[in-house]
Amino acid sequence: SQTIHQWPATLVQPVGSPLSLECTVEGTSNPNLYWYRQAAGRGLQLLFYSVGIGQISSEVPQNLSASRPQDRQFILSSKKLLLSDSGFYLCAWEGQGLLGYTFGSGTRLTVV
Amino acid sequence: QKEVEQNSGPLSVPEGAIASLNCTYSDRGSQSFFWYRQYSGKSPELIMSIYSNGDKEDGRFTAQLNKASQYVSLLIRDSQPSDSATYLCSTLRGASKIIFGSGTRLSIRP
């Protein structure tokens, strides 16, 4: 069966520090992968999506970047965090056909 | 105008009653719709999908789609305290990007 792993679960980082969040998927090949951010009390904002290795599409210009170095690995990064980067970061992969997404357990990032 | 709009709530419903959650969307070309449930501090989980006009039932949940009026709804029958969560309405944009509403917070009171 397919599973999606995301880590770390929580993270507290100072302003100006770098960020690296990792997401891996098991049990499927060539999945479409997505990074979303959810600010406190807000909806889900699509940040990046990837349809294959090295293929990244950015939805919103921001302080973040994404990479897909391997088929089942999706990484979200920042060189210098801002206070506004705080939020709940969710990785998702697209099921077969039009079955919606399966989300990872998320990373709660607090920038202080 | 947001692509997907929901009333943020909270919507308070007595235990055992029917909870009705509504959503409107702006893109008349949207074809696929998904309802997710999100417990506080947790990631969303898919509970219903609907692609055709009309009703789709799964256990206590019924999704309704009206493309002419551009609205989607989710009915929860025999509401339980465990149904208390935020419900996210979403639609597929293009081939594979799902756009979410801001969610409706549902509270089931005993």
Side-chain angles (χ1 to χ4, degrees):
Chain A
S1 63
Q2 299 90 356
T3 57
I4 181 168
H5 302 280
Q6 216 182 315
W7 65 92
T10 59
L11 195 57
V12 180
Q13 292 283 98
V15 169
S17 64
L19 172 74
S20 181
L21 302 180
E22 190 163 341
C23 170
T24 59
V25 181
E26 294 179 359
T28 186
S29 60
N30 198 30
N32 289 346
L33 296 173
Y34 306 82
W35 279 111
Y36 282 85
R37 177 172 60 200
Q38 188 175 38
R42 306 283 294 275
L44 288 155
Q45 180 187 32
L46 178 60
L47 302 176
F48 300 95
Y49 72 97
S50 171
V51 298
I53 296 174
Q55 300 180 64
I56 307 295
S57 295
S58 173
E59 284 294 298
V60 181
Q62 60 215 316
N63 186 41
L64 302 168
S65 61
S67 62
R68 188 160 175 184
Q70 300 179 44
D71 181 43
R72 283 171 273 184
Q73 185 184 33
F74 202 22
I75 297 172
L76 183 69
S77 304
S78 174
K79 293 182 179 178
K80 289 186 177 182
L81 285 169
L82 306 172
L83 287 174
S84 58
D85 292 324
S86 294
F88 191 37
Y89 287 82
L90 290 154
C91 180
W93 75 279
E94 183 183 3
Q96 293 181 338
L98 295 174
L99 298 180
Y101 294 168
T102 299
F103 285 90
S105 54
T107 295
R108 191 162 303 280
L109 171 67
T110 304
V111 182
V112 297
Chain B
Q1 184 184 12
K2 293 181 180 178
E3 286 191 63
V4 180
E5 298 222 41
Q6 297 179 256
N7 188 318
S8 62
L11 175 66
S12 182
V13 173
E15 186 174 355
I18 296 175
S20 178
L21 303 158
N22 300 313
C23 166
T24 58
Y25 59 95
S26 60
D27 184 356
R28 189 168 286 279
S30 293
Q31 298 292 324
S32 305
F33 302 88
F34 308 93
W35 281 99
Y36 287 81
R37 177 176 62 201
Q38 186 177 23
Y39 292 114
S40 181
K42 302 296 184 182
S43 59
E45 54 179 327
L46 180 66
I47 53 173
M48 289 288 286
S49 58
I50 188 166
Y51 313 112
S52 304
N53 272 331
D55 296 359
K56 178 181 178 183
E57 188 174 319
D58 184 0
R60 297 187 295 114
F61 297 97
T62 299
Q64 299 175 319
L65 174 59
N66 184 324
K67 291 185 178 180
S69 301
Q70 294 178 243
Y71 84 79
V72 194
S73 62
L74 179 70
L75 302 178
I76 306 175
R77 290 182 299 281
D78 187 24
S79 296
Q80 303 297 310
S82 60
D83 294 326
S84 296
T86 296
Y87 289 80
L88 301 169
C89 175
S90 61
T91 184
L92 191 66
R93 183 213 287 169
S96 59
K97 289 184 287 184
I98 294 182
I99 305 302
F100 290 84
S102 56
T104 298
R105 191 153 53 94
L106 174 66
S107 175
I108 307 299
R109 55 182 191 271

